[in-house]
Structures are given as structure tokens and as C-alpha cells.
Amino acid sequence: MARVNENFLKLKSGYLFPEIARRAKAFMEAHPAADVIKLGIGDVTEPLPPAVIRALHEAVDEMARRETFRGYGPEQGYEFLRNAIIEHEFRPRGVELDADEVFISDGAKCDTGNILDILGRDNKVAVVDPVYPVYVDTNVMAGHTGPADEHGRYAGLVYIPVHAENDFVPEVPNEHVDLIYLCYPNNPTGTVATRETLQKWVEYAHEHGALILFDAAYEAYITDPAIPHSIFEIDGARDVAIEFRSFSKNAGFTGTRCAFTVVPKTVQGTTSAGERVPLNSLWNRRQSTKFNGVAYIVQRGAAAVYTPEGKQQVRQLVDFYLENARLLREGLQSIGIDVYGGINAPYVWLKTPGGLSSWEFFDRLLERAHLLGTPGSGFGASGEGYFRLSAFNSREQIEEAVERLQGVDLT
Ligand code: MLT
């Protein structure tokens, strides 16, 4: 009989979002009349921007004609998209990249998991706690951890706690680590990292020969002009960091699938013999072998994000969700709940009232207000006593959610 990867058996329960979906389904089956508003998973609700739709249609038509039909594309992505990304995302921020440092993919989640293919087994891995669960679970699957303790913390990982008391700013570790996951604007807390904070991490990475895996999937939500959008805006970062980006949360591609990962040619790893190896060539090799690229049609849709009308429409979409976040924030504050995030991010992170645990608050919110959110403890032990609400929804549903929050006793 085929042997399984037993590391999977170490994983604590299901992935967080399927677990929430399971509980929500059970609640809805027991209360079929309840009109549950979903503020749990950060999935967009508004249609794709018209400029993207037009580009998708045109690309479909190209596929219908022999002269313009395309088969396999480059595994790394078409140059038209890689160049547009460099020109519109990075050059205006003073970051110069070559096209072969940008790899188009089907998702930042996939890439943050897949990147482990090119990294060794013995790296000491640090995550901020609470954390986007994918960073932890993919390391568990790859056998980089021991078993989990009763709080869900896996042996071998370094957890860096963030909470209201330290303003959600992760301290650089006072021990050696090789691999660091940072996500800014942060999922789940909705907080951002200043230039100074990122500079400290880049300096740490230089001192320790560490690699920063920087997830910037929510960068479009940054409203504060002082906050960096890319880790590569920080001096020295291109020697120590890989950045993950996505079209999901800005242009609404969660179901359309397009993202990209920047692996500068200057970022290196080491062999056990101490030989330095550029990670760019390893990632290129990995992608060429295991991935056949994103559909041409979808890449044309993504490139339309950078047309003048595309840019304006994406800005409107992001502003729409940011306004939702503001309504949620202020609605929660009006009932005396402490809230964080939601200004430079589509997530509002709140302190559960009355000392309720995250899952107790989840049940209470569902039962009393028919609102579905995400328990902070699902993102890590330090998320206990916190709760996440997503601003991805229609205005009508957000306004209704705020009314319900204001109309029930949640303590
Ligand atoms: C979330 O709710 O945290 C996001 O939907 C996760 C993701 O983008 O994969």
C-alpha cells in the first residue's frame, strides 16, 4: 500500500476557512430562516472591472482565430504582463526589476506554499502570530515542524506574538532564524508595517543570512503615503527578500486567478557545503517543471488593470471595500468594541468584548446577529481573544451588518 506523507497528520483540524464553512453550514441547516451575512473569508464580491472584462473578451476572440490562437505560454508569464507590472507597480516606487525577476502565477497562496520546494528542510522558520495559516500549514506538510501543542503551536517554529499591547509590531527575534514570513498590510490584523519596522527586518536578514518571504497581497489598500507598498522599497531588501503579489484583492481576481512573485536575481540561498545559489534560477526551474503558466486570456485581463481606465476602476473597487471597512470599524467602535486595522487593509481586527474567547464570540455573533466572522485564535495562539471581520461584501450587506451589531448584546 502506498505510504502517505505523515506530516499531513500533524495538521490541526481542517484549514481554518473550510472549518468555518462547516460550522456555518450546520448553523444554517438548524436555522434555515436566518439570513446570515458572511464577513468571514476575505473573498471579493464585486464584479471584475469593465476594462478587465473587455480585455478578457478580446483575448477569447483571439483564441478563436488560427492567426492569433495561443497554445502553451511561457511558464513565467507573458512579457506584456511582466513588463506592465514592473512599469506600474515598481518603477514609480523607485524599484527597478528585470522581467525575468517577475513570475506570473495563479495565486499568492499557491506561491507562498510552493516556494518551499526550493528551500531546504533544516531552516529555522519564523512567523508572526497571529498568522495567515497557509505559511504554517505548508511548513507542517513539508515536514519542517514537530507536532502541535494544545494551543496549536508547532514544535520547531518560532512564533513572534503581536497584540494590542505591542501595537501589532513584530520584534525581530533574539535568536537565529533562516526564514521569515511577513505579510503587510497584514492578514489577519489589518495593520501595516512602517519603513522603520521593515528596515529592521531587512537588517536582521542581512545579519543572519535569512530570507524574508514578504506577502504584499493587500498592498493596494495602503492609504497612508508613508507606508511602503513593496519590501523592495527598503534598502538592501533585494538581497534578502522574495515578494508575493496578487490581482485577487485589488482587481477582484479571487475566482479568475492571477498573481505574481518577485524573486530578484540578487537573492541567494546556500547549500549544506556553503555554496551560494541564486533563488531566481531555482524558482525558474521549479516553475518550468511543475507549472504551465496562467491562461493567456487571464493574463490579458490582468494587464488591463494597468490601462488608464483599468487603474481608475481598480482604485474605485479598493476604495469601495475601504469604505466598507470604515463602516465596520466605526460601527464596532460605536458599541464600545476596540478595533484595529481596517484603514490600510480590508480587514478589521477586534478585541472580543466581555473576555469572550474567539470561538465563543464567533458563536455569539452567529447566533445573535447572524453574522459570520473569523475567530482570531484560528490564526494562531496570540489571536485568542480577537476576531476578524472582512470588508469584502456589498454596501447593503455591510450596512445591514452594522445595524445588527448595534442592535444586539454581544457581551
Ligand atoms: C482570508 O480570508 O484570509 C483570505 O481569503 C485568504 C486568502 O486570500 O487565501
Side-chain angles (χ1 to χ4, degrees):
M1 196 174 274
R3 292 278 291 273
V4 299
N5 176 352
E6 290 176 39
N7 295 312
F8 277 66
L9 308 180
K10 291 183 208 157
L11 292 165
K12 294 291 276 182
S13 66
Y15 175 56
L16 176 62
F17 295 104
E19 172 63 16
I20 290 170
R22 193 187 62 72
R23 290 190 184 216
K25 187 163 173 268
F27 177 83
M28 289 188 270
E29 275 165 11
H31 306 85
D35 172 21
V36 174
I37 298 179
K38 294 183 180 147
L39 305 170
I41 190 164
D43 191 8
V44 294
T45 54
E46 303 310 298
L48 292 172
V52 170
I53 293 293
R54 186 164 351 102
L56 290 172
H57 280 298
E58 283 168 9
V60 169
D61 289 341
E62 284 185 67
M63 296 300 263
R65 292 189 299 272
R66 174 173 291 276
E67 314 77 64
T68 48
F69 169 79
R70 313 232 178 180
Y72 288 126
E75 293 91 350
Q76 302 81 358
Y78 285 98
E79 291 241 337
F80 66 79
L81 181 55
R82 302 166 96 185
N83 288 332
I85 287 168
I86 293 169
E87 188 186 329
H88 295 275
E89 301 281 2
F90 293 99
R91 193 161 298 143
R93 301 192 181 282
V95 178
E96 278 305 326
L97 294 169
D98 290 337
D100 56 1
E101 294 177 304
V102 178
F103 295 83
I104 310 300
S105 77
D106 59 346
K109 170 165 120 175
C110 320
D111 282 2
T112 56
N114 291 337
I115 200 77
L116 294 180
D117 272 7
I118 65 163
L119 298 169
R121 301 182 65 83
D122 304 319
N123 290 315
K124 189 90 180 158
V125 180
V127 294
V128 176
D129 175 17
V131 61
Y132 178 43
V134 171
Y135 314 150
V136 171
D137 289 3
T138 53
N139 273 284
V140 176
M141 291 171 180
H144 299 169
T145 74
D149 68 14
E150 71 276 18
H151 304 292
R153 287 197 169 109
Y154 291 91
L157 290 186
V158 173
Y159 289 89
I160 303 165
V162 293
H163 35 67
E165 289 71 33
N166 64 8
D167 287 328
F168 301 95
V169 179
E171 285 287 335
V172 297
N174 47 22
E175 60 186 299
H176 173 86
V177 304
D178 303 292
L179 204 55
I180 300 148
Y181 288 84
L182 294 178
C183 173
Y184 287 105
N186 187 254
N187 181 11
T189 64
T191 57
V192 282
T194 62
R195 189 169 285 278
E196 294 67 38
T197 298
L198 293 179
Q199 189 72 57
K200 273 191 204 154
W201 280 99
V202 168
E203 280 162 19
Y204 175 94
H206 272 275
E207 266 166 45
H208 289 262
L211 174 67
I212 298 174
L213 299 176
F214 191 76
D215 183 348
Y218 299 93
E219 64 76 35
Y221 289 81
I222 295 172
T223 53
D224 179 344
I227 299 296
H229 287 237
S230 164
I231 186 99
F232 300 123
E233 290 176 57
I234 307 299
D235 285 344
R238 60 186 306 138
D239 302 325
V240 294
I242 289 176
E243 181 164 301
F244 303 92
R245 293 277 196 103
S246 172
F247 292 98
S248 284
K249 313 294 162 117
N250 57 349
F253 273 53
T254 54
T256 307
R257 311 306 310 151
C258 198
F260 58 96
T261 290
V262 179
V263 189
K265 282 180 272 192
T266 40
V267 65
Q268 297 181 325
T270 177
T271 65
S272 49
E275 186 197 344
R276 288 172 174 265
V277 181
L279 296 181
N280 180 285
S281 48
L282 296 191
W283 184 244
N284 190 35
R285 188 70 174 82
R286 190 265 171 214
Q287 291 298 81
S288 312
T289 303
K290 291 197 178 181
F291 186 55
N292 264 337
V294 175
Y296 170 73
I297 297 164
V298 170
Q299 292 192 59
R300 277 291 177 205
V305 163
Y306 299 115
T307 59
E309 63 280 19
K311 277 186 172 180
Q312 197 199 351
Q313 292 159 4
V314 166
R315 191 66 251 159
Q316 275 168 7
L317 262 182
V318 169
D319 286 345
F320 173 82
Y321 293 124
L322 280 171
E323 174 64 6
N324 283 353
R326 186 187 68 79
L327 292 170
L328 283 174
R329 265 177 74 83
E330 292 181 1
L332 289 159
Q333 281 166 338
S334 75
I335 55 168
I337 290 183
D338 290 333
V339 288
Y340 311 92
I343 293 174
N344 294 289
Y347 297 122
V348 173
W349 186 245
L350 62 98
K351 184 91 194 89
T352 58
L356 293 174
S357 76
S358 299
W359 278 109
E360 281 168 349
F361 189 72
F362 173 91
D363 290 334
R364 186 155 302 184
L365 203 59
L366 191 54
E367 279 157 20
R368 298 193 185 169
H370 299 168
L371 298 180
L372 192 65
T374 310
S377 57
F379 296 103
S382 299
E384 181 56 275
Y386 291 91
F387 199 80
R388 193 190 78 175
L389 291 179
S390 156
F392 291 117
N393 215 318
S394 67
R395 183 59 44 75
E396 203 187 356
Q397 293 267 281
I398 294 287
E399 282 169 352
E400 168 70 20
V402 171
E403 263 179 46
R404 290 190 198 172
L405 282 168
Q406 289 169 331
V408 293
D409 178 15
L410 292 169
T411 54

